[in-house]
Protein backbone atom coordinates (compact mmCIF):
# COMPACT_ATOMS: atom_id res chain seq x y z
CA UNK A 1 0.00 0.00 0.00
CA UNK A 2 1.39 3.39 -1.00
CA UNK A 3 0.33 6.38 1.09
CA UNK A 4 1.24 9.74 -0.37
CA UNK A 5 0.08 13.33 -0.07
CA UNK A 6 -0.48 13.28 -3.84
CA UNK A 7 -2.81 11.04 -5.81
CA UNK A 8 -0.59 11.44 -8.88
CA UNK A 9 2.62 10.56 -7.02
CA UNK A 10 1.01 7.46 -5.49
CA UNK A 11 -0.38 6.30 -8.84
CA UNK A 12 2.86 6.93 -10.73
CA UNK A 13 4.94 5.16 -8.10
CA UNK A 14 2.59 2.18 -8.16
CA UNK A 15 2.82 2.04 -11.97
CA UNK A 16 6.63 2.19 -11.84
CA UNK A 17 6.82 -0.55 -9.20
CA UNK A 18 4.49 -2.81 -11.21
CA UNK A 19 6.50 -2.18 -14.40
CA UNK A 20 9.77 -3.08 -12.68
CA UNK A 21 8.46 -6.47 -11.55
CA UNK A 22 9.35 -7.77 -15.00
CA UNK A 23 7.72 -11.04 -15.97
CA UNK A 24 4.76 -12.51 -14.14
CA UNK A 25 1.93 -10.90 -12.28
CA UNK A 26 2.75 -8.08 -9.90
CA UNK A 27 1.47 -8.29 -6.35
CA UNK A 28 -1.52 -6.07 -5.58
CA UNK A 29 -0.58 -2.44 -5.01
CA UNK A 30 -3.21 -0.19 -3.47
CA UNK A 31 -2.78 3.55 -3.24
CA UNK A 32 -4.08 6.18 -0.86
CA UNK A 33 -2.98 9.41 -2.44
CA UNK A 34 -4.23 12.87 -1.60
CA UNK A 35 -7.65 13.78 -0.33
CA UNK A 36 -10.95 12.45 -1.71
CA UNK A 37 -11.46 15.67 -3.69
CA UNK A 38 -8.08 15.20 -5.40
CA UNK A 39 -6.26 17.89 -3.48
CA UNK A 40 -2.97 17.38 -1.64
CA UNK A 41 -3.16 15.82 1.82
CA UNK A 42 -3.78 12.50 3.52
CA UNK A 43 -7.11 10.80 4.08
CA UNK A 44 -7.84 8.19 6.72
CA UNK A 45 -10.75 6.89 4.64
CA UNK A 46 -8.57 6.43 1.55
CA UNK A 47 -6.02 4.57 3.69
CA UNK A 48 -8.79 2.29 5.03
CA UNK A 49 -9.93 1.61 1.47
CA UNK A 50 -6.37 0.87 0.35
CA UNK A 51 -5.89 -1.62 3.19
CA UNK A 52 -9.09 -3.42 2.17
CA UNK A 53 -7.90 -3.50 -1.46
CA UNK A 54 -4.37 -4.71 -0.70
CA UNK A 55 -5.16 -7.20 2.05
CA UNK A 56 -5.22 -10.77 0.81
CA UNK A 57 -4.75 -12.27 4.26
CA UNK A 58 -0.95 -12.17 4.37
CA UNK A 59 -0.58 -8.65 5.75
CA UNK A 60 -0.02 -5.24 4.21
CA UNK A 61 3.18 -3.19 4.04
CA UNK A 62 2.54 0.56 4.07
CA UNK A 63 5.11 2.70 2.29
CA UNK A 64 4.45 6.33 3.20
CA UNK A 65 5.92 9.47 1.71
CA UNK A 66 6.29 11.66 4.84
CA UNK A 67 4.74 13.45 7.80
CA UNK A 68 1.00 13.11 8.03
CA UNK A 69 0.94 10.07 5.74
CA UNK A 70 2.90 8.19 8.40
CA UNK A 71 0.90 9.74 11.23
CA UNK A 72 -2.40 8.81 9.56
CA UNK A 73 -1.37 5.16 9.20
CA UNK A 74 -0.05 5.09 12.78
CA UNK A 75 -3.33 6.53 14.09
CA UNK A 76 -5.33 3.95 12.12
CA UNK A 77 -3.18 1.13 13.50
CA UNK A 78 -4.71 1.93 16.88
CA UNK A 79 -8.11 1.03 15.43
CA UNK A 80 -9.10 -2.62 15.43
CA UNK A 81 -10.06 -2.89 11.74
CA UNK A 82 -6.79 -1.84 10.18
CA UNK A 83 -4.57 -3.49 12.77
CA UNK A 84 -6.36 -6.80 12.18
CA UNK A 85 -5.12 -6.72 8.58
CA UNK A 86 -1.52 -7.00 9.77
CA UNK A 87 -0.46 -3.60 8.49
CA UNK A 88 3.22 -2.73 8.98
CA UNK A 89 4.82 0.61 8.16
CA UNK A 90 8.07 0.43 6.21
CA UNK A 91 10.87 2.77 7.26
CA UNK A 92 11.81 3.35 3.65
CA UNK A 93 12.16 6.02 1.00
CA UNK A 94 8.92 6.21 -0.96
CA UNK A 95 9.87 5.24 -4.51
CA UNK A 96 12.71 2.84 -3.74
CA UNK A 97 10.76 1.25 -0.89
CA UNK A 98 7.69 0.81 -3.06
CA UNK A 99 9.67 -0.88 -5.83
CA UNK A 100 11.48 -3.17 -3.39
CA UNK A 101 8.21 -4.12 -1.67
CA UNK A 102 6.29 -4.83 -4.87
CA UNK A 103 9.12 -6.81 -6.48
CA UNK A 104 9.60 -8.89 -3.32
CA UNK A 105 5.87 -9.51 -2.86
CA UNK A 106 5.53 -10.42 -6.53
CA UNK A 107 8.32 -12.98 -6.13
CA UNK A 108 6.32 -14.61 -3.32
CA UNK A 109 7.89 -12.94 -0.30
CA UNK A 110 5.94 -13.05 2.93
CA UNK A 111 5.13 -10.00 5.06
CA UNK A 112 8.49 -10.08 6.86
CA UNK A 113 10.45 -10.36 3.60
CA UNK A 114 8.48 -7.56 1.95
CA UNK A 115 8.94 -5.29 4.95
CA UNK A 116 12.67 -6.08 5.11
CA UNK A 117 13.12 -5.41 1.39
CA UNK A 118 11.37 -2.06 1.67
CA UNK A 119 13.38 -1.13 4.76
CA UNK A 120 16.62 -2.14 3.02
CA UNK A 121 15.86 0.40 0.30
CA UNK A 122 16.94 3.04 2.81
CA UNK A 123 20.54 1.90 2.34
CA UNK A 124 20.60 1.90 -1.47
CA UNK A 125 23.59 3.95 -2.55
CA UNK A 126 23.62 5.87 -5.78
CA UNK A 127 27.34 6.58 -5.91
Amino acid sequence: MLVSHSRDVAAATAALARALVGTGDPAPVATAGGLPDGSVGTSAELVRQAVRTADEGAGVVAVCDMGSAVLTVKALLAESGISDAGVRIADAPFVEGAVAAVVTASAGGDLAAVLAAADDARTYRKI
Side-chain angles (χ1 to χ4, degrees):
M1 171 178 70
L2 306 181
V3 184
S4 173
H5 286 72
S6 166
R7 180 180 296 168
D8 293 340
V9 168
T13 303
L16 175 64
R18 286 185 195 105
L20 292 177
V21 166
T23 61
D25 292 326
V29 183
T31 61
L35 297 174
D37 67 2
S39 62
V40 172
T42 55
S43 163
E45 185 50 40
L46 291 179
V47 171
R48 283 187 196 96
Q49 290 174 11
V51 169
R52 287 190 294 270
T53 299
D55 183 25
E56 295 185 335
V60 175
V61 172
V63 181
C64 306
D65 62 2
M66 65 187 105
S68 65
V70 177
L71 295 175
T72 298
V73 175
K74 282 184 174 182
L76 291 175
L77 285 173
E79 297 179 4
S80 63
I82 190 171
S83 62
D84 293 344
V87 176
R88 303 290 182 270
I89 300 173
D91 185 15
F94 191 68
V95 175
E96 293 91 336
V99 170
V102 173
V103 168
T104 302
S106 299
D110 64 7
L111 180 64
V114 173
L115 184 60
D119 288 350
D120 283 348
R122 176 169 290 297
T123 64
Y124 292 174
R125 306 267 323 168
K126 301 209 169 70
I127 298 178

